Amino acid sequence: MTALYDLLKRRIALTGPMTLADYMADCLMHPEHGYYTRQDPLGAAGDFTTAPEISQMFGELLGLCLAQAWLDQGAPGAFTLAEPGPGRGTLMADIWRATRGVPGFHAAARVHLIEASPVLRGLQAERLSDLPVTWHDTLDGLPEDQPLFLIANEFIDALPIRQFQRDTQGWREVVLGLKDGALAPALTDPAPLADLEYRLDDTTPGDVVELCPAIWPTMQAIAARIMDNGGTVIIIDYGGWRSTGDTFQALENHAYADPYAHPGQADLTAHVDFEALARHAAPLAHSALTDQQSLLAALGLAQRAEALAQKLSGDALENHINAFHRLTDASEMGTLFKALALVAPGSPLPPGFAPFTPKAAP
Ligand code: SAH
């Protein structure tokens, strides 16, 4: 048992069952025992790896995508280039290198990172020592008077979710209680829930639906800035559109684990419901949901991969080819990972994204 396990048990014994959101927040970000607070979980030695860690091509193509979006909006001077949850800083480093040749982009960009983990802030500072970087605890700290170009990769899946099961009488919440001295999930009594009213049409009793309330005010804060000053948001994560089902999961040493067994020791995530993000970012317009494979192909991944391959041989070439497949194959990240872009109504979408048409909704 971990120290956090005992702490949570004591708290539940005193104050009753806790929501999955409170549980996730403690497991990931507890100041002493939190998974992200204590360590760097990324890469081969950690519990999981991410697209920017797999290949430099990911950040390069998305950097050029953001730069084109900036050019399409008239290349505004002094803009915010923001990334929440930047991990080791790899995505931002690749974005920065790839946009070197875009006239005026570096001079106008003010880099703002949103990071809760002191360990990862340290790695980001090392990695991005040449960049004009400001750190924030939350997205509320971002400047309010500049265009905002923001990219988030595998950030929202780490935010705490609440889970509900539909019942004939309303919704039961999945909470964490105690059973025989161990942490165990349980269901509350059913009750109506205004936030899930809109899901009554497409769910039936027994269905599980997840909400991520932590992101709602954040989407509003982003939308307000983009409505006032312009900009764009690109969100990449695993998930879907109007998702249904239990997606709460734990990864420990690159393998799936019981999310309730080792609080603070495993990475906990849930799939992202992109429709909910778009709803809470109103009045911003959003693109159609696309997948990582299609987005990277549209941004020129094949050509970039070919160009890099020319300079490689042996193991390096083999790794490069493997990375290409990991990013794009349907059996790897290619179709599980989705991307959504948001802009002010009437602004052009970034390259690689198609307009949303309600009938063709994914
Ligand atoms: N985007 C990176 C890292 C993904 S891991 C990549 O693609 O490699 C998730 C990141 O989000 C980590 O940097 C973690 O510390 C950060 N994070 C998780 N929850 C957070 C929160 N509530 N506030 C700020 N950062 C958070």
Side-chain angles (χ1 to χ4, degrees):
M1 294 302 122
T2 62
L4 187 57
Y5 196 98
D6 290 334
L7 209 136
L8 293 172
K9 263 175 53 176
R10 279 206 301 279
R11 188 189 309 163
I12 292 171
L14 275 173
T15 59
M18 64 198 296
T19 64
L20 290 198
D22 287 343
Y23 175 70
M24 241 177 124
D26 270 340
C27 289
L28 297 179
M29 291 296 172
H30 186 281
E32 196 181 335
H33 308 296
Y35 178 76
Y36 282 110
T37 338
R38 286 186 297 111
Q39 53 171 9
D40 166 21
L42 286 147
D47 291 315
F48 60 95
T49 189
T50 58
E53 301 296 333
I54 289 172
S55 168
Q56 67 184 76
M57 297 187 290
F58 183 82
E60 291 171 348
L61 294 172
L62 283 156
L64 292 173
C65 174
L66 279 174
Q68 187 61 49
W70 174 77
L71 289 169
D72 290 344
Q73 293 193 22
F79 73 94
T80 301
L81 177 59
E83 188 189 357
R88 292 175 165 176
T90 307
L91 176 58
M92 189 52 78
D94 292 338
I95 289 175
W96 197 255
R97 194 183 57 256
T99 51
R100 226 171 11 204
V102 180
F105 190 78
H106 280 195
R110 311 283 179 271
V111 179
H112 291 263
L113 303 179
I114 296 89
E115 177 57 69
S117 157
V119 176
L120 291 176
R121 269 193 194 201
L123 290 179
Q124 292 153 21
E126 266 173 45
R127 190 71 196 268
L128 304 170
S129 55
D130 297 341
L131 276 60
V133 179
T134 310
W135 277 268
H136 305 274
D137 292 330
T138 69
L139 280 128
D140 292 334
L142 292 178
E144 290 181 25
D145 54 354
Q146 289 182 351
L148 171 61
F149 290 80
L150 180 144
I151 183 158
N153 184 62
E154 287 210 50
F155 166 65
I156 297 171
D157 66 57
L159 297 183
I161 53 134
R162 293 174 68 179
Q163 217 180 45
F164 299 89
Q165 191 183 80
R166 178 139 176 217
D167 186 87
T168 48
Q169 308 297 316
W171 300 88
R172 291 168 175 271
E173 180 156 15
V174 179
V175 289
L176 198 60
L178 293 177
K179 196 173 170 207
D180 304 325
L183 297 178
L187 290 169
T188 62
D189 289 339
L193 197 71
D195 286 325
L196 284 176
E197 202 74 16
Y198 78 108
R199 299 301 309 265
L200 291 176
D201 294 343
D202 69 291
T203 54
T204 53
D207 284 348
V208 170
V209 172
E210 294 168 341
L211 294 179
C212 181
I215 198 67
W216 300 347
T218 298
M219 295 313 293
Q220 275 301 297
I222 292 173
R225 284 162 176 78
I226 292 182
M227 290 305 290
D228 286 349
N229 307 300
T232 193
V233 173
I234 297 175
I235 296 169
I236 304 165
D237 223 312
Y238 46 130
W241 194 259
R242 193 174 281 227
S243 318
T244 306
D246 172 7
T247 72
F248 185 47
Q249 69 178 35
L251 263 187
E252 216 174 325
N253 303 322
H254 291 272
Y256 290 108
D258 172 359
Y260 307 113
H262 304 121
Q265 305 284 320
D267 183 40
L268 299 181
T269 59
H271 285 202
V272 173
D273 181 353
F274 285 87
E275 186 199 33
L277 299 184
R279 279 170 70 90
H280 288 279
L284 293 187
H286 63 85
S287 68
L289 192 64
T290 184
D291 58 38
Q292 181 164 305
Q293 184 184 67
S294 311
L295 176 65
L296 294 178
L299 295 177
L301 181 70
Q303 294 83 339
R304 181 67 185 131
E306 193 65 39
L308 283 173
Q310 300 297 325
K311 297 173 212 148
L312 300 173
S313 60
D315 284 353
L317 180 60
E318 199 174 314
N319 289 343
H320 175 60
I321 294 169
N322 286 343
F324 179 91
H325 288 297
R326 287 182 70 187
L327 289 179
T328 56
D329 282 4
S331 58
E332 302 266 355
M333 305 179 83
T335 51
L336 179 62
F337 278 74
K338 308 288 197 310
L340 187 77
L342 299 151
V343 289
S347 289
L349 287 166
F353 290 92
F356 176 81
T357 44
K359 264 208 205 106

